Amino acid sequence: GGAGSGAMRAAVWTDPVVVFMKGSPAQPLCGFSNAVVQILRLHGVEDYRAHDVLQDPDLRQGIKDYSNWPTIPQVYLNGEFVGGCDILLQMHQNGDLVEELKKLGIRSALLDAEKDQEKK
C-alpha cells in the first residue's frame, strides 16, 4: 500500500482529536462511526480531524496496521490510539473521556451541563 507508518504517524498527530471513520461527521456511513461522532458531540468536541477511510483504501488498511486494531472507527487523542466505538463509549460512561479531553486542553461540554443541574 501507499500509506506507510510514517504517513500514519503524521495523520494521527495532525490534531488533538483524530477520528478514522466511514463517512464524515456530517454524514457517517456506519452505525459505529455515527456513535463516535455522537459521543464527541455530547462532549462539545466539534473541531476534530476526521478521515473518511472509504475515500482511501490505503488509509483504511494502513491505519488498521498502524494501530494493530482490525476495525474502523478508530479514535486518537494526542496521537495515542484510544480504541473504537465501544471503548470510547466506555470512557464516556465512566468519566475517563472528560479527563482525557481535559489533558488536551479541551473542556467537555458535559461539565457545564452538570453545573447547570447542580444550580436547580
Side-chain angles (χ1 to χ4, degrees):
S5 66
M8 289 298 114
R9 195 170 293 117
V12 303
W13 274 105
T14 51
D15 293 78
V17 182
V18 179
V19 179
F20 294 83
M21 62 182 292
K22 297 178 183 177
S24 66
Q27 202 171 16
L29 295 177
C30 86
F32 299 114
S33 292
N34 183 48
V36 165
V37 169
Q38 296 302 335
I39 291 166
L40 290 173
R41 189 170 289 154
L42 279 173
H43 289 265
V45 183
E46 303 275 355
D47 187 23
Y48 56 93
R49 178 68 60 96
H51 295 278
D52 179 359
V53 298
L54 298 180
Q55 301 290 328
D56 189 343
D58 273 351
L59 183 67
R60 185 178 189 167
Q61 190 52 49
I63 201 61
K64 290 177 183 181
D65 294 343
Y66 178 77
S67 61
N68 211 8
W69 187 261
T71 56
I72 304 286
Q74 294 186 12
V75 179
Y76 289 78
L77 299 178
N78 248 9
E80 290 278 317
F81 175 58
V82 172
C85 164
D86 45 351
I87 292 172
L88 196 68
L89 183 59
Q90 201 176 343
M91 289 173 66
H92 164 63
Q93 289 168 337
N94 65 18
D96 286 354
L97 189 53
V98 169
E99 291 304 312
E100 290 300 319
L101 290 172
K102 195 183 287 178
K103 289 180 196 167
L104 306 185
I106 299 170
R107 183 178 169 80
S108 168
L110 292 185
L111 291 171
D112 298 323
E114 282 166 19
K115 276 230 299 289
D116 292 343
Q117 283 165 9
E118 283 163 22
K119 281 181 197 142
K120 58 170 180 275

